[in-house]
């Protein structure tokens, strides 16, 4: 992961007055309005296909919650392609997989980040099949324990098609947020992902249109200081 993309992932923290940070605050507020009285504490962030912007959404939404004085935990539910340790510059020696295999206690794997009120659980390094680990009773027990400790828990996850990891997480969490790459994803693919999530009775609390044209322009401007250049993806 290049330096440039780490900056992109931490946009709300590094550039809080920007138009993009404001969009993540709006997303946070929209979730609050649309789930009022429903006790939504744990949110899984997913998408139909890879590279639609799940991780960037999870990280910036979590930051927006932390900035609103919430005690927030970001959990790396994507055990196959972990990135949180790179984004937050942490060791990935122990994390969620180590909890699920019973090797460590929760308190040993939760890390503070440099963002106030935002903690992280990285993927960890314990071996096993991610689908089985996430579907274990231990995952449910862990999530219920975390819900006692935090105001908001945001879980990053793999995409809906391909593996069942996200299906399990979506049924365990209070809400599911579907990220859609507006720049490239066909509508029917997004609808198919939505249908799968509905079939497993995930509670879809909203969709995020990522990479939408106006937002892309803002990123370009921020990184090139006005020179016309497409942000490397
Ligand atoms: N709105 C955006 N503007 C500019 N770059 C973006 C935007 N959204 C995502 N990206 C870039 O696209 C790439 C993929 O984003 P991200 O890692 O969030 O996707 P993902 O869905 O988590 O991918 P994966 O399926 O591999 O986990 C990253 O390099 C990220 O910086
Ligand atoms: Mg990701």
């Amino acid at each position: 992961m290049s330096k440039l993309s780490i900056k992109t992932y931490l946009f709300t923290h590094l550039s809080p007055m920007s138009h993009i940070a404001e969009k993540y605050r709006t997303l946070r507020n929209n979730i609050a309005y649309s789930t009022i009285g429903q006790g939504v504490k744990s949110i899984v962030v997913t998408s139909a296909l890879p590279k639609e912007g799940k991780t960037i959404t999870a990280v910036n939404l979590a930051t927006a919650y932390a900035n609103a004085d919430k005690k927030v935990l970001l959990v790396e539910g994507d055990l196959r392609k972990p990135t949180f340790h790179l984004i937050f510059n942490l060791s990935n020696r122990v994390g969620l997989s180590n909890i699920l295999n019973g090797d460590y206690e929760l308190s040993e794997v939760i890390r503070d980040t440099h963002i106030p009120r935002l903690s992280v659980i990285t993927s960890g390094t314990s071996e096993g099949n991610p689908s089985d680990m996430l579907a274990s009773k231990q995952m449910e027990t862990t999530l219920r324990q975390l819900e006692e400790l935090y105001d908001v828990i945001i879980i990053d996850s793999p995409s809906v098609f391909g593996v069942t990891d996200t299906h399990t997480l979506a049924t365990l969490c209070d809400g599911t947020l579907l990220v859609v790459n507006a720049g490239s994803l066909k509508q029917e693919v997004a609808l198919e992902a939505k249908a799968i999530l509905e079939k497993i009775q995930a509670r879809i609390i909203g969709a995020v249109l990522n990479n939408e044209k106006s937002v892309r322009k803002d990123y370009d401007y921020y990184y090139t200081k006005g020179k016309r250049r497409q942000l490397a993806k």
Side-chain angles (χ1 to χ4, degrees):
M1 189 182 297
S2 72
K3 251 185 162 178
L4 176 69
S5 54
I6 285 174
K7 269 193 191 167
T8 313
Y9 281 102
L10 293 173
F11 209 93
T12 301
H13 177 63
L14 296 175
S15 190
M17 300 315 287
S18 66
H19 181 52
I20 296 164
E22 187 55 34
K23 295 234 173 195
Y24 287 110
R25 285 192 285 273
T26 304
L27 174 62
R28 176 199 67 203
N29 295 344
N30 286 348
I31 292 173
Y33 294 134
S34 65
T35 61
I36 216 155
Q38 295 173 25
V40 173
K41 241 183 175 195
S42 50
I43 300 172
V44 61
V45 180
T46 191
S47 63
L49 301 176
K51 299 277 172 222
E52 291 199 63
K54 297 175 289 295
T55 301
I56 201 170
T57 302
V59 169
N60 284 282
L61 179 62
T63 306
Y65 273 112
N67 289 345
D69 275 343
K70 300 284 184 200
K71 194 178 172 199
V72 187
L73 181 71
L74 251 180
V75 180
E76 176 107 74
D78 189 344
L79 301 178
R80 297 166 194 267
K81 277 191 293 179
T83 48
F84 281 3
H85 60 294
L86 300 171
I87 295 170
F88 293 99
N89 197 20
L90 297 166
S91 152
N92 192 27
R93 198 176 56 83
V94 292
L96 183 63
S97 57
N98 303 86
I99 289 281
L100 299 180
N101 280 343
D103 309 332
Y104 283 83
E105 298 293 320
L106 259 185
S107 58
E108 296 175 290
V109 305
I110 298 176
R111 313 274 178 67
D112 289 339
T113 69
H114 55 286
I115 300 173
R117 292 173 297 281
L118 178 62
S119 302
V120 165
I121 297 183
T122 62
S123 68
T125 47
S126 193
E127 294 199 350
N129 181 317
S131 301
D132 294 341
M133 285 198 274
L134 293 170
S136 65
K137 184 74 194 155
Q138 182 64 20
M139 181 64 211
E140 187 175 0
T141 309
T142 302
L143 189 57
R144 300 289 94 91
Q145 283 174 334
L146 292 171
E147 282 168 350
E148 297 293 316
L149 299 173
Y150 290 87
D151 296 322
V152 185
I153 298 157
I154 297 185
I155 307 186
D156 191 17
S157 74
S159 38
V160 171
F161 298 133
V163 289
T164 57
D165 307 16
T166 301
H167 306 196
T168 311
L169 291 171
T171 53
L172 288 179
C173 287
D174 300 326
T176 299
L177 200 57
L178 187 63
V179 178
V180 178
N181 185 341
S184 67
L185 195 75
K186 289 204 171 73
Q187 194 183 0
E188 55 267 33
V189 179
L191 288 174
E192 207 179 317
K194 180 171 171 272
I196 290 175
L197 291 169
E198 283 170 347
K199 198 170 164 193
I200 58 167
Q201 295 183 341
R203 187 151 133 217
I204 301 174
I205 56 170
V208 177
L209 273 193
N210 187 38
N211 210 8
E212 195 254 334
K213 211 174 164 197
S214 63
V215 176
R216 270 206 312 271
K217 265 194 208 149
D218 288 341
Y219 272 101
D220 287 350
Y221 182 77
Y222 179 79
Y223 284 114
T224 62
K225 296 196 175 68
K227 285 178 217 146
R228 301 288 304 160
R229 183 166 65 81
Q230 191 66 22
L231 176 68
K233 291 202 79 186

